[in-house]
C-alpha cells in the first residue's frame, strides 16, 4: 500500500461519494481532525494503516508506525491483540470494548475504547478499527453542565 496522502492521490477538491452523501476530500480530512475522539485502523493482514491526527490524543501515535505490523507496536499485550484480531478474522467476534482510567499525561479521565471488525458488504474481513474517547470531555467544562432535557436546553440564555 502506498504511503501517499489522499490529497496526493486525488485533488483536495475531489468529491468522495458515500451511500449517505458526498463531501470534498479536504473537508473530510478537516472533520476527522475535529472529532472529539480518536480512531485507528489496521488492515486484514494486521498492518497498521491509518490514525486520526486529533489534537490532545489519548494514545500518542507516530507516523513511523504506519505500515508496521500492529503486534510489533504493542509488544506487552501482543498476545491479547493477536487473539482479538483472530476472533475478528474468523467471525467469532465483531467488537470488543472496555473502560479504564487514564493514568499518564497531564489529563485525567475515564477512557472508553472500542475495537470493531471492519467487513465489506459480503462479510469479508477488511481489518480492525479502534475508537478511543476520554468520556470526561462530555461532562462539561469549568463546572458547567449540559442541560438534561430539551426544556432545560431551551431555557439556556445566550451569553452576551
Amino acid at each position: 500500500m502506498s504511503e501517499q496522502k489522499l490529497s496526493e492521490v486525488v485533488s483536495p477538491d475531489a468529491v468522495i461519494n458515500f451511500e449517505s452523501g458526498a463531501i470534498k476530500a479536504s473537508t473530510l480530512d478537516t472533520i476527522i481532525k475535529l472529532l472529539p475522539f480518536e480512531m485507528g485502523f489496521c488492515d486484514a493482514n494486521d498492518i497498521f494503516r491509518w490514525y486520526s491526527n486529533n489534537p490532545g490524543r489519548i494514545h500518542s501515535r507516530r507516523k513511523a508506525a504506519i505500515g508496521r505490523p500492529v503486534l510489533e507496536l504493542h509488544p506487552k499485550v501482543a498476545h491479547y491483540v493477536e487473539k482479538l484480531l483472530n476472533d475478528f478474522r474468523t467471525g467469532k467476534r465483531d467488537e470488543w470494548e472496555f473502560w479504564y482510567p487514564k493514568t499518564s499525561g497531564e489529563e485525567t479521565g475515564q477512557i472508553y475504547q472500542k475495537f470493531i471488525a471492519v467487513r465489506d458488504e459480503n462479510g469479508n474481513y477488511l481489518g480492525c478499527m479502534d475508537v478511543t474517547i476520554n468520556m470526561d470531555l462530555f461532562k462539561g467544562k469549568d463546572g458547567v453542565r449540559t442541560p438534561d432535557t430539551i426544556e432545560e436546553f431551551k431555557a439556556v440564555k445566550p451569553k452576551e
Side-chain angles (χ1 to χ4, degrees):
M1 188 170 275
S2 173
E3 297 294 324
Q4 292 180 304
K5 296 178 189 174
L6 179 62
S7 61
E8 295 171 345
V9 178
V10 299
S11 162
D13 292 326
V15 175
I16 301 171
N17 293 303
F18 294 98
E19 183 179 319
S20 56
I23 193 167
K24 286 186 356 183
S26 59
T27 303
L28 180 60
D29 188 43
T30 301
I31 289 170
I32 289 171
K33 290 176 187 171
L34 294 173
L35 294 173
F37 53 87
E38 57 198 63
M39 300 178 292
F41 177 75
C42 69
D43 68 18
N45 296 312
D46 303 338
I47 303 298
F48 186 66
R49 294 294 179 191
W50 174 85
Y51 65 94
S52 60
N53 198 15
N54 314 63
R57 290 186 58 87
I58 296 163
H59 298 300
S60 61
R61 301 277 190 190
R62 300 177 326 274
K63 288 186 181 178
I66 296 171
R68 291 184 53 200
V70 73
L71 296 178
E72 287 180 11
L73 301 175
H74 305 289
K76 292 180 181 178
V77 293
H79 57 288
Y80 297 114
V81 174
E82 184 174 35
K83 179 180 180 350
L84 175 67
L85 294 173
N86 284 336
D87 284 355
F88 283 175
R89 192 176 289 102
T90 63
K92 182 177 180 180
R93 180 186 296 251
D94 286 318
E95 58 184 44
W96 184 66
E97 62 186 354
F98 63 103
W99 299 80
Y100 58 93
K102 186 171 184 339
T103 57
S104 61
E106 294 177 19
E107 293 182 28
T108 59
Q110 186 68 20
I111 307 304
Y112 170 76
Q113 191 161 25
K114 185 170 188 170
F115 295 87
I116 307 161
V118 179
R119 303 184 192 286
D120 67 15
E121 60 276 354
N122 296 317
N124 298 311
Y125 180 69
L126 302 176
C128 172
M129 176 179 173
D130 69 274
V131 177
T132 306
I133 304 168
N134 183 340
M135 296 306 292
D136 284 8
L137 293 175
F138 301 99
K139 289 184 177 179
K141 296 185 182 209
D142 303 324
V144 176
R145 65 175 186 83
T146 57
D148 290 325
T149 65
I150 193 66
E151 289 76 21
E152 286 182 23
F153 177 76
K154 289 176 182 177
V156 172
K157 304 292 181 219
K159 291 182 181 180
E160 295 181 24

